[in-house]
PDB file of all heavy atoms in Angstrom:
ATOM      1  N   MET A 971     -41.039 -17.640  -8.415  1.00  0.00           N
ATOM      2  CA  MET A 971     -42.034 -17.342  -7.353  1.00  0.00           C
ATOM      3  C   MET A 971     -43.426 -17.212  -7.960  1.00  0.00           C
ATOM      4  O   MET A 971     -43.582 -17.009  -9.189  1.00  0.00           O
ATOM      5  CB  MET A 971     -41.673 -16.048  -6.675  1.00  0.00           C
ATOM      6  CG  MET A 971     -40.259 -15.949  -6.069  1.00  0.00           C
ATOM      7  SD  MET A 971     -40.122 -17.100  -4.688  1.00  0.00           S
ATOM      8  CE  MET A 971     -38.468 -16.801  -4.146  1.00  0.00           C
ATOM      9  N   ASP A 972     -44.452 -17.363  -7.102  1.00  0.00           N
ATOM     10  CA  ASP A 972     -45.815 -17.163  -7.622  1.00  0.00           C
ATOM     11  C   ASP A 972     -46.015 -15.633  -7.818  1.00  0.00           C
ATOM     12  O   ASP A 972     -45.229 -14.826  -7.402  1.00  0.00           O
ATOM     13  CB  ASP A 972     -46.851 -17.750  -6.710  1.00  0.00           C
ATOM     14  CG  ASP A 972     -46.937 -17.099  -5.324  1.00  0.00           C
ATOM     15  OD1 ASP A 972     -46.706 -15.857  -5.193  1.00  0.00           O
ATOM     16  OD2 ASP A 972     -47.228 -17.771  -4.343  1.00  0.00           O
ATOM     17  N   ASN A 973     -46.950 -15.318  -8.595  1.00  0.00           N
ATOM     18  CA  ASN A 973     -47.166 -13.894  -8.890  1.00  0.00           C
ATOM     19  C   ASN A 973     -48.359 -13.268  -8.117  1.00  0.00           C
ATOM     20  O   ASN A 973     -49.119 -12.536  -8.667  1.00  0.00           O
ATOM     21  CB  ASN A 973     -47.374 -13.684 -10.393  1.00  0.00           C
ATOM     22  CG  ASN A 973     -48.494 -14.419 -10.933  1.00  0.00           C
ATOM     23  OD1 ASN A 973     -49.260 -15.142 -10.219  1.00  0.00           O
ATOM     24  ND2 ASN A 973     -48.707 -14.389 -12.233  1.00  0.00           N
ATOM     25  N   THR A 974     -48.412 -13.648  -6.826  1.00  0.00           N
ATOM     26  CA  THR A 974     -49.539 -13.143  -5.950  1.00  0.00           C
ATOM     27  C   THR A 974     -49.323 -11.696  -5.457  1.00  0.00           C
ATOM     28  O   THR A 974     -50.235 -11.118  -4.891  1.00  0.00           O
ATOM     29  CB  THR A 974     -49.688 -14.051  -4.725  1.00  0.00           C
ATOM     30  OG1 THR A 974     -48.474 -14.147  -4.027  1.00  0.00           O
ATOM     31  CG2 THR A 974     -50.162 -15.476  -5.177  1.00  0.00           C
ATOM     32  N   MET A 975     -48.170 -11.176  -5.783  1.00  0.00           N
ATOM     33  CA  MET A 975     -47.838  -9.820  -5.441  1.00  0.00           C
ATOM     34  C   MET A 975     -46.786  -9.235  -6.339  1.00  0.00           C
ATOM     35  O   MET A 975     -46.039 -10.056  -6.943  1.00  0.00           O
ATOM     36  CB  MET A 975     -47.401  -9.635  -3.962  1.00  0.00           C
ATOM     37  CG  MET A 975     -46.181 -10.430  -3.547  1.00  0.00           C
ATOM     38  SD  MET A 975     -45.725 -10.288  -1.791  1.00  0.00           S
ATOM     39  CE  MET A 975     -46.563 -11.705  -1.131  1.00  0.00           C
ATOM     40  N   PRO A 976     -46.632  -7.983  -6.499  1.00  0.00           N
ATOM     41  CA  PRO A 976     -45.577  -7.395  -7.364  1.00  0.00           C
ATOM     42  C   PRO A 976     -44.207  -7.850  -6.928  1.00  0.00           C
ATOM     43  O   PRO A 976     -44.026  -8.103  -5.667  1.00  0.00           O
ATOM     44  CB  PRO A 976     -45.702  -5.920  -7.248  1.00  0.00           C
ATOM     45  CG  PRO A 976     -47.179  -5.689  -6.752  1.00  0.00           C
ATOM     46  CD  PRO A 976     -47.492  -6.912  -5.936  1.00  0.00           C
ATOM     47  N   LYS A 977     -43.249  -7.899  -7.800  1.00  0.00           N
ATOM     48  CA  LYS A 977     -41.950  -8.423  -7.448  1.00  0.00           C
ATOM     49  C   LYS A 977     -41.222  -7.707  -6.323  1.00  0.00           C
ATOM     50  O   LYS A 977     -40.671  -8.300  -5.439  1.00  0.00           O
ATOM     51  CB  LYS A 977     -40.995  -8.348  -8.729  1.00  0.00           C
ATOM     52  CG  LYS A 977     -39.666  -9.005  -8.495  1.00  0.00           C
ATOM     53  CD  LYS A 977     -38.796  -8.875  -9.732  1.00  0.00           C
ATOM     54  CE  LYS A 977     -39.376  -9.521 -10.891  1.00  0.00           C
ATOM     55  NZ  LYS A 977     -38.654  -9.383 -12.146  1.00  0.00           N
ATOM     56  N   ASN A 978     -41.369  -6.295  -6.352  1.00  0.00           N
ATOM     57  CA  ASN A 978     -40.694  -5.572  -5.246  1.00  0.00           C
ATOM     58  C   ASN A 978     -41.299  -5.888  -3.883  1.00  0.00           C
ATOM     59  O   ASN A 978     -40.549  -6.036  -2.902  1.00  0.00           O
ATOM     60  CB  ASN A 978     -40.701  -4.085  -5.468  1.00  0.00           C
ATOM     61  CG  ASN A 978     -42.185  -3.490  -5.570  1.00  0.00           C
ATOM     62  OD1 ASN A 978     -43.130  -4.223  -5.927  1.00  0.00           O
ATOM     63  ND2 ASN A 978     -42.310  -2.255  -5.269  1.00  0.00           N
ATOM     64  N   GLU A 979     -42.639  -6.214  -3.815  1.00  0.00           N
ATOM     65  CA  GLU A 979     -43.214  -6.559  -2.569  1.00  0.00           C
ATOM     66  C   GLU A 979     -42.809  -8.017  -2.197  1.00  0.00           C
ATOM     67  O   GLU A 979     -42.631  -8.326  -1.027  1.00  0.00           O
ATOM     68  CB  GLU A 979     -44.753  -6.495  -2.642  1.00  0.00           C
ATOM     69  CG  GLU A 979     -45.242  -5.051  -2.645  1.00  0.00           C
ATOM     70  CD  GLU A 979     -46.791  -4.943  -2.786  1.00  0.00           C
ATOM     71  OE1 GLU A 979     -47.495  -5.910  -2.307  1.00  0.00           O
ATOM     72  OE2 GLU A 979     -47.257  -3.994  -3.420  1.00  0.00           O
ATOM     73  N   MET A 980     -42.763  -8.836  -3.179  1.00  0.00           N
ATOM     74  CA  MET A 980     -42.338 -10.265  -2.996  1.00  0.00           C
ATOM     75  C   MET A 980     -40.899 -10.291  -2.368  1.00  0.00           C
ATOM     76  O   MET A 980     -40.662 -11.073  -1.434  1.00  0.00           O
ATOM     77  CB  MET A 980     -42.356 -11.038  -4.285  1.00  0.00           C
ATOM     78  CG  MET A 980     -41.964 -12.519  -4.142  1.00  0.00           C
ATOM     79  SD  MET A 980     -43.246 -13.527  -3.329  1.00  0.00           S
ATOM     80  CE  MET A 980     -44.486 -13.600  -4.565  1.00  0.00           C
ATOM     81  N   LYS A 981     -40.059  -9.469  -2.895  1.00  0.00           N
ATOM     82  CA  LYS A 981     -38.636  -9.509  -2.376  1.00  0.00           C
ATOM     83  C   LYS A 981     -38.630  -9.006  -0.948  1.00  0.00           C
ATOM     84  O   LYS A 981     -37.877  -9.584  -0.147  1.00  0.00           O
ATOM     85  CB  LYS A 981     -37.802  -8.601  -3.345  1.00  0.00           C
ATOM     86  CG  LYS A 981     -37.499  -9.275  -4.670  1.00  0.00           C
ATOM     87  CD  LYS A 981     -36.863  -8.324  -5.680  1.00  0.00           C
ATOM     88  CE  LYS A 981     -35.614  -7.655  -5.071  1.00  0.00           C
ATOM     89  NZ  LYS A 981     -35.197  -6.453  -5.790  1.00  0.00           N
ATOM     90  N   LYS A 982     -39.418  -7.980  -0.684  1.00  0.00           N
ATOM     91  CA  LYS A 982     -39.511  -7.486   0.749  1.00  0.00           C
ATOM     92  C   LYS A 982     -40.058  -8.553   1.666  1.00  0.00           C
ATOM     93  O   LYS A 982     -39.559  -8.798   2.792  1.00  0.00           O
ATOM     94  CB  LYS A 982     -40.291  -6.188   0.783  1.00  0.00           C
ATOM     95  CG  LYS A 982     -39.596  -4.964   0.230  1.00  0.00           C
ATOM     96  CD  LYS A 982     -40.522  -3.783   0.246  1.00  0.00           C
ATOM     97  CE  LYS A 982     -39.889  -2.642  -0.492  1.00  0.00           C
ATOM     98  NZ  LYS A 982     -40.874  -1.494  -0.504  1.00  0.00           N
ATOM     99  N   ASP A 983     -41.100  -9.252   1.173  1.00  0.00           N
ATOM    100  CA  ASP A 983     -41.729 -10.330   1.962  1.00  0.00           C
ATOM    101  C   ASP A 983     -40.692 -11.407   2.241  1.00  0.00           C
ATOM    102  O   ASP A 983     -40.589 -11.942   3.331  1.00  0.00           O
ATOM    103  CB  ASP A 983     -42.932 -10.851   1.230  1.00  0.00           C
ATOM    104  CG  ASP A 983     -43.658 -11.908   2.014  1.00  0.00           C
ATOM    105  OD1 ASP A 983     -44.344 -11.544   3.014  1.00  0.00           O
ATOM    106  OD2 ASP A 983     -43.573 -13.115   1.659  1.00  0.00           O
ATOM    107  N   PHE A 984     -39.977 -11.772   1.206  1.00  0.00           N
ATOM    108  CA  PHE A 984     -38.958 -12.807   1.295  1.00  0.00           C
ATOM    109  C   PHE A 984     -37.864 -12.425   2.367  1.00  0.00           C
ATOM    110  O   PHE A 984     -37.552 -13.254   3.192  1.00  0.00           O
ATOM    111  CB  PHE A 984     -38.276 -13.065  -0.042  1.00  0.00           C
ATOM    112  CG  PHE A 984     -37.243 -14.065  -0.060  1.00  0.00           C
ATOM    113  CD1 PHE A 984     -37.470 -15.436   0.168  1.00  0.00           C
ATOM    114  CD2 PHE A 984     -35.894 -13.775  -0.274  1.00  0.00           C
ATOM    115  CE1 PHE A 984     -36.547 -16.406   0.177  1.00  0.00           C
ATOM    116  CE2 PHE A 984     -34.914 -14.735  -0.330  1.00  0.00           C
ATOM    117  CZ  PHE A 984     -35.207 -16.051  -0.105  1.00  0.00           C
ATOM    118  N   THR A 985     -37.395 -11.226   2.345  1.00  0.00           N
ATOM    119  CA  THR A 985     -36.382 -10.847   3.308  1.00  0.00           C
ATOM    120  C   THR A 985     -36.869 -10.798   4.707  1.00  0.00           C
ATOM    121  O   THR A 985     -36.221 -11.233   5.605  1.00  0.00           O
ATOM    122  CB  THR A 985     -35.757  -9.477   2.941  1.00  0.00           C
ATOM    123  OG1 THR A 985     -36.720  -8.448   2.899  1.00  0.00           O
ATOM    124  CG2 THR A 985     -35.015  -9.509   1.593  1.00  0.00           C
ATOM    125  N   LYS A 986     -38.113 -10.350   4.883  1.00  0.00           N
ATOM    126  CA  LYS A 986     -38.694 -10.358   6.216  1.00  0.00           C
ATOM    127  C   LYS A 986     -38.835 -11.782   6.700  1.00  0.00           C
ATOM    128  O   LYS A 986     -38.654 -12.091   7.879  1.00  0.00           O
ATOM    129  CB  LYS A 986     -40.052  -9.671   6.223  1.00  0.00           C
ATOM    130  CG  LYS A 986     -39.991  -8.164   6.092  1.00  0.00           C
ATOM    131  CD  LYS A 986     -41.383  -7.552   6.055  1.00  0.00           C
ATOM    132  CE  LYS A 986     -41.339  -6.096   5.699  1.00  0.00           C
ATOM    133  NZ  LYS A 986     -42.673  -5.469   5.548  1.00  0.00           N
ATOM    134  N   TRP A 987     -39.306 -12.636   5.814  1.00  0.00           N
ATOM    135  CA  TRP A 987     -39.480 -14.083   6.183  1.00  0.00           C
ATOM    136  C   TRP A 987     -38.176 -14.726   6.594  1.00  0.00           C
ATOM    137  O   TRP A 987     -38.060 -15.504   7.556  1.00  0.00           O
ATOM    138  CB  TRP A 987     -40.114 -14.765   4.964  1.00  0.00           C
ATOM    139  CG  TRP A 987     -40.295 -16.265   5.103  1.00  0.00           C
ATOM    140  CD1 TRP A 987     -41.356 -16.905   5.743  1.00  0.00           C
ATOM    141  CD2 TRP A 987     -39.420 -17.296   4.637  1.00  0.00           C
ATOM    142  NE1 TRP A 987     -41.160 -18.256   5.690  1.00  0.00           N
ATOM    143  CE2 TRP A 987     -39.957 -18.510   5.042  1.00  0.00           C
ATOM    144  CE3 TRP A 987     -38.229 -17.223   3.963  1.00  0.00           C
ATOM    145  CZ2 TRP A 987     -39.354 -19.717   4.713  1.00  0.00           C
ATOM    146  CZ3 TRP A 987     -37.635 -18.435   3.615  1.00  0.00           C
ATOM    147  CH2 TRP A 987     -38.195 -19.649   4.007  1.00  0.00           C
TER     148      TRP A 987
END
Side-chain angles (χ1 to χ4, degrees):
M971 301 295 181
D972 65 34
N973 59 2
T974 56
M975 61 183 94
K977 188 184 299 178
N978 61 335
E979 289 179 30
M980 181 73 70
K981 289 169 54 200
K982 287 177 188 174
D983 183 74
F984 179 68
T985 58
K986 287 178 189 173
W987 177 83

